[in-house]
Amino acid sequence: MSENTDTRTYLVVLNDEEQYSIWAAGRELPAGWTAEGTQGTREECLARIDQVWTDMRPRSLRERMAATAG
């Protein structure tokens, strides 16, 4: 299936490390992932991720780096 003919609906999902991905709507989410609240086409969901995921480092790494910097 090419990207141009993908008519599925997707969800933006988030894990405990605050990392984002997309997941096909209607499928059970994998363990450790929760729906972020955005639903739409693949392109819409990827655009949302681009908008909100500005720091690609896992949360635990960001917290460790902040603790050692302070």
Side-chain angles (χ1 to χ4, degrees), residues 47-64:
R48 172 66 178 159
I49 291 171
D50 282 342
Q51 180 183 48
V52 297
W53 196 14
T54 57
D55 188 341
M56 301 292 249
R57 297 174 299 166
R59 184 186 69 203
S60 58
L61 176 60
R62 294 191 316 265
E63 290 172 353
R64 260 194 322 267

Side-chain angles (χ1 to χ4, degrees), residues 1-61:
M1 179 180 297
S2 76
E3 288 183 37
N4 295 336
T5 61
D6 188 354
T7 59
R8 293 178 287 185
T9 300
Y10 291 89
L11 307 172
V12 174
V13 294
L14 181 68
N15 68 15
D16 293 337
E17 286 289 333
E18 297 179 355
Q19 296 169 306
Y20 288 82
S21 189
I22 62 172
W23 194 254
R27 291 185 58 201
E28 184 176 341
L29 294 178
W33 292 85
T34 58
E36 172 264 4
T38 302
Q39 180 174 316
T41 65
R42 180 179 189 277
E43 292 76 19
E44 290 168 336
C45 289
L46 291 174
R48 172 66 178 159
I49 291 171
D50 282 342
Q51 180 183 48
V52 297
W53 196 14
T54 57
D55 188 341
M56 301 292 249
R57 297 174 299 166
R59 184 186 69 203
S60 58
L61 176 60

